[in-house]
Amino acid sequence: MTVGNRYFNVNIEVILLASIALFLFYVCGRYIVSGIEYTDVATEETYRKAFRLIVIRTMGFVVIFLSLYIIFMNGLTSLTEGIELLVLLISVSLVWFLSSYISLKRSYKKNKELL
């Protein structure tokens, strides 16, 4: 915070938020890359089942989020709102899918080495 206040004209709330975000990204990144999430994936068959489950969960999230958004926000009021919602859903689901896939792949490799 001292460096941020001294050399840059940044608000204290922004510096605190950035430090929390950096910590969370570090912890999540280490968890994903460590390969400890999928302990039971050691064969090709369990890998394929886990991959299918990741795809189904991601698609389920998109369908449920879109349904709840339309229900509680009384539909889409404009084309730009629909495009913004679509971009949000695609980006969040892509990040979720990639983080789960990377974790699955690392866990599969690590568990395969242990056998």
Side-chain angles (χ1 to χ4, degrees), residues 66-81:
L66 187 60
S67 301
L68 291 176
Y69 184 87
I70 290 173
I71 289 170
F72 289 115
M73 301 308 257
N74 298 325
L76 298 173
T77 57
S78 68
L79 180 64
T80 57
E81 184 182 353

Side-chain angles (χ1 to χ4, degrees), residues 4-86:
N5 259 347
R6 179 173 279 206
Y7 298 111
F8 305 107
N9 190 13
V10 181
N11 203 355
I12 292 176
E13 291 88 11
V14 173
I15 294 172
L16 290 173
L17 181 64
S19 63
I20 292 170
L22 182 67
F23 174 74
L24 289 176
F25 282 128
Y26 174 75
V27 170
C28 289
R30 288 288 303 236
Y31 181 73
I32 290 168
V33 175
S34 68
I36 61 172
E37 187 174 359
Y38 297 93
T39 56
D40 59 335
V41 177
T43 64
E44 186 71 29
E45 183 181 344
T46 56
Y47 174 78
R48 277 190 250 122
K49 285 182 183 178
F51 180 76
R52 272 189 247 121
L53 188 61
I54 290 171
V55 172
I56 290 169
R57 284 181 182 168
T58 304
M59 285 192 277
F61 166 75
V62 170
V63 169
I64 290 170
F65 185 88
L66 187 60
S67 301
L68 291 176
Y69 184 87
I70 290 173
I71 289 170
F72 289 115
M73 301 308 257
N74 298 325
L76 298 173
T77 57
S78 68
L79 180 64
T80 57
E81 184 182 353
I83 292 172
E84 288 174 358
L85 178 64
L86 190 62

